[in-house]
């Protein structure tokens, strides 16, 4: 799928057999509330759902290995995301400004939380970081104001600049 114009979509069901949601495919579909991705999806491109302000939840299919930068940036109504084990890359700012995102689990297959991945997720409270993560890059959780608890596993060797800046209620625990 590629270059869907900014039409008014509320529900989209991508057919089985589609392997990739290309860059900016559903970008700016402000009324999109629900999307069903088939099990055949392996790639979600850069900005694929950027600015889909009404999108409330998404389940990333099990075969997905790549979520591009800014893929879900600005999805203000998104409250939860299930990222399956097998995703090896979540790009920069992938979930930035998802203001109502409350919880996410980082899969064991991911080793890096990239620059600004959750920047501006003001209501993100619950995050589970896997024991395979080695890097938490710059501004990864900047402005996650309600986050109050995170366990940083011993596998982490680098925490970037301003990674937790603006996390006013955060208590960090390391093993």
């Amino acid at each position: 799928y590629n270059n869907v114009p900014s039409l008014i979509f509320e529900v989209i069901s991508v057919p089985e057999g589609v392997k990739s949601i290309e860059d900016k495919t559903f970008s700016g579909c402000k009324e999109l509330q629900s999307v069903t991705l088939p099990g055949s999806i392996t790639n979600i491109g850069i900005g694929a759902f950027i600015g889909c302000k009404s999108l409330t939840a998404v389940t990333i299919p099990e075969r997905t290995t790549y979520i591009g930068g800014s893929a879900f940036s600005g999805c203000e109504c998104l409250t939860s995301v299930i990222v399956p084990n097998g995703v090896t890359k979540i790009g920069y700012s992938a979930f930035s400004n998802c203001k109502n995102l409350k919880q996410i689990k980082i899969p064991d297959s991911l080793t890096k939380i990239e620059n600004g991945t959750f920047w501006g997720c003001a209501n993100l409270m619950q995050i589970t970081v896997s024991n395979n993560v080695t890097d938490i890059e710059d501004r990864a959780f900047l402005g996650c104001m309600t986050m109050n608890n995170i366990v940083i596993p011993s596998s982490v060797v680098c925490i970037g600049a301003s990674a937790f800046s603006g996390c006013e209620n955060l208590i960090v625990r390391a093993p």
Side-chain angles (χ1 to χ4, degrees), residues 56 76-81 98-105 121-127 146-147:
T56 58
E76 295 175 1
C77 291
L78 196 60
T79 57
S80 70
V81 177
C98 292
K99 296 176 182 176
N100 288 300
L101 185 62
K102 290 181 173 57
Q103 62 182 16
I104 192 160
K105 181 180 185 285
C121 294
N123 288 302
L124 183 62
M125 291 182 71
Q126 231 179 3
I127 181 142
T146 59
M147 183 188 297

Side-chain angles (χ1 to χ4, degrees), residues 64-128:
T64 305
T65 58
Y66 173 79
I67 299 171
S70 300
F72 295 95
S73 181
C75 293
E76 295 175 1
C77 291
L78 196 60
T79 57
S80 70
V81 177
I82 298 170
V83 180
N85 211 10
V87 171
T88 57
K89 180 170 173 98
I90 297 177
Y92 61 91
S93 299
F95 296 97
S96 65
N97 293 308
C98 292
K99 296 176 182 176
N100 288 300
L101 185 62
K102 290 181 173 57
Q103 62 182 16
I104 192 160
K105 181 180 185 285
I106 304 297
D108 290 339
S109 53
L110 200 68
T111 60
K112 183 189 305 185
I113 300 174
E114 292 208 11
N115 189 340
T117 300
F118 301 103
W119 182 347
C121 294
N123 288 302
L124 183 62
M125 291 182 71
Q126 231 179 3
I127 181 142
T128 305

Side-chain angles (χ1 to χ4, degrees), residues 42-79:
T42 59
N43 176 64
I44 298 173
I46 296 169
F49 295 93
I50 192 170
C52 293
K53 296 179 183 230
S54 300
L55 190 61
T56 58
V58 65
T59 300
I60 311 294
E62 289 293 322
R63 290 186 188 160
T64 305
T65 58
Y66 173 79
I67 299 171
S70 300
F72 295 95
S73 181
C75 293
E76 295 175 1
C77 291
L78 196 60
T79 57

